[in-house]
Amino acid sequence: MFDPVIAPSGTLLGLLQRGRGDGTLHALTAPRSEALAALNHCVTHDPRHDWQVENRSLYYARLYLDLHGELDAVEAHLFDPEDVLDTDESRTGLALAVLGHLASYGRRDALDLLRRYAAHGTNWAWALDELALRDDDAGLRALAAPVLARFTTDAEGEAELAATVRDAFEPRPWRLWADDPRESVATRVRAAQEAGSFDRWQRQMRPTGPRPGWSVQAVFEWAQQGVERGAALHVPAARCLTAVAGPEDRPEIVRAAQDGTEGARCTALRYLADSNDPDALDLIEGAVTTGSTAVVEAAVDAFERMRSLAAVDRARGWAR
């Protein structure tokens, strides 16, 4: 997702994009068509820099209520052909969340839009979560067939369905469908629930994390596997080193901090900093100079945790 283009803060659009309280006042005093145009732009072009930590949906939903705003622009956005091409949930997440709030306030048109999108839209799971909190049993039962039709009946499709049921944010629709009077629906959902529960049990019985019997090299390899999967594991890996590493392992850890793989280097730097190793400061300084972005960030984080006088003196030297 590209960074949003934010209008100047003195404009109505800029105020609404920033979620300012006085934005509501300006919208209510502006011409209604202008206010609705700005509101629709915000909802269909998410202005948040990080949509996962900024909550703006209730703010916009209340403004729709105050302006008695129609949802034509939101509908056009949800069912635009782009919905098939851009499957990132951030494209439609804000609009769906706004519709969810509007449905809670009794807007039937918002509820109908959510139902249609759950049946036909790409980001259907988000819409289903919104409906799970707002729709009645009859409305949810009507969605069972179109939702299940998204999953093929072969082994791959059933596995995908089981994973979806297992990871569902709101389980209500799936529990309702498991008791559906239509045998074809209930049987398939119950099988998916059982498969998901079994998979969760298997993962609990076979933890993938390090064990006390691991070697230092095994911990480094585990940290590198996290890097390859896009998960930063050097912090827990450093804690594992505390359990498995002895004095005889220090040379190996120092070598890893100097020129190991990205995961090993981050782990070693964190471990050496936490243990106040005499070479930690030199290794951190070298990592900042020669390391990758992830290594540099790990080195800086490790240094910030150090509380020794030597660390303070080194910081003063860097500041000169």
Side-chain angles (χ1 to χ4, degrees):
M1 179 180 177
F2 295 104
D3 287 337
V5 177
I6 304 299
S9 59
T11 64
L12 174 58
L13 178 58
L15 291 171
L16 294 183
Q17 286 177 319
R18 291 168 174 81
R20 294 277 298 274
D22 51 349
T24 299
L25 298 177
H26 281 72
L28 295 177
T29 57
R32 182 173 177 273
S33 59
E34 179 184 341
L36 281 176
L39 177 58
N40 287 331
H41 185 279
C42 291
V43 174
T44 59
H45 300 81
D46 194 337
R48 297 169 294 181
H49 286 284
D50 189 343
W51 63 274
Q52 293 178 309
V53 299
E54 292 186 63
N55 190 341
R56 202 69 57 76
S57 55
L58 183 58
Y59 173 82
Y60 294 140
R62 286 175 172 169
L63 191 51
Y64 269 114
L65 293 174
D66 292 338
L67 294 171
H68 303 286
E70 301 84 5
L71 300 177
D72 295 346
V74 177
E75 180 180 9
H77 174 67
L78 291 178
F79 294 99
D80 189 274
E82 184 72 15
D83 190 58
V84 178
L85 303 175
D86 184 358
T87 59
D88 193 321
E89 61 183 7
S90 63
R91 193 191 82 84
T92 54
L94 178 58
L96 294 172
V98 169
L99 291 178
H101 287 301
L102 290 174
S104 295
Y105 284 117
R107 286 281 298 260
R108 179 71 188 204
D109 52 349
L111 183 64
D112 290 340
L113 266 181
L114 281 173
R115 288 172 174 172
R116 280 181 55 205
Y117 191 82
H120 305 291
T122 297
N123 193 12
W124 62 271
W126 191 315
L128 187 61
D129 285 339
E130 297 291 342
L131 289 168
L133 300 174
R134 281 112 181 167
D135 208 352
D136 55 27
D137 288 355
L140 289 175
R141 284 197 182 96
L143 291 171
V147 168
L148 291 178
R150 295 176 178 274
F151 303 93
T152 59
T153 55
D154 57 12
E156 183 178 353
E158 296 299 345
E160 184 181 353
L161 174 60
T164 300
V165 174
R166 182 195 67 214
D167 299 332
F169 191 75
E170 293 292 343
R172 181 185 164 217
W174 302 102
R175 291 173 180 170
L176 188 67
W177 297 341
D179 296 326
D180 196 279
R182 292 166 292 182
E183 191 63 26
S184 59
V185 171
T187 300
R188 196 174 182 199
V189 173
R190 282 198 297 267
Q193 288 177 325
E194 292 172 2
S197 297
F198 182 70
D199 179 59
R200 188 179 293 110
W201 174 79
Q202 283 185 313
R203 288 190 294 176
Q204 292 171 345
M205 294 297 291
R206 294 199 302 267
T208 58
R211 297 166 176 79
W214 275 23
S215 65
V216 169
Q217 183 58 36
V219 174
F220 286 153
E221 291 173 356
W222 179 64
Q224 182 59 26
Q225 290 170 8
V227 171
E228 294 168 357
R229 297 197 310 268
L233 299 178
H234 64 277
V235 174
R239 290 198 294 267
C240 291
L241 279 185
T242 303
V244 304
E248 68 280 3
D249 296 308
R250 181 180 178 276
E252 181 181 359
I253 297 173
V254 170
R255 285 195 301 272
Q258 291 172 331
D259 55 13
T261 62
E262 184 173 296
R265 199 172 185 185
C266 293
T267 301
L269 290 169
R270 179 71 170 228
Y271 170 81
L272 293 171
D274 286 351
S275 57
N276 288 317
D277 188 277
D279 290 334
L281 291 170
D282 291 335
L283 291 168
I284 287 173
E285 187 169 1
V288 170
T289 303
T290 64
S292 64
T293 301
V295 170
V296 171
E297 291 177 353
V300 172
D301 288 342
F303 175 75
E304 290 176 346
R305 293 171 56 84
M306 300 182 72
R307 297 293 182 267
S308 65
L309 292 176
V312 175
D313 290 340
R314 184 65 64 96
R316 287 171 176 164
W318 290 336
R320 292 194 185 100

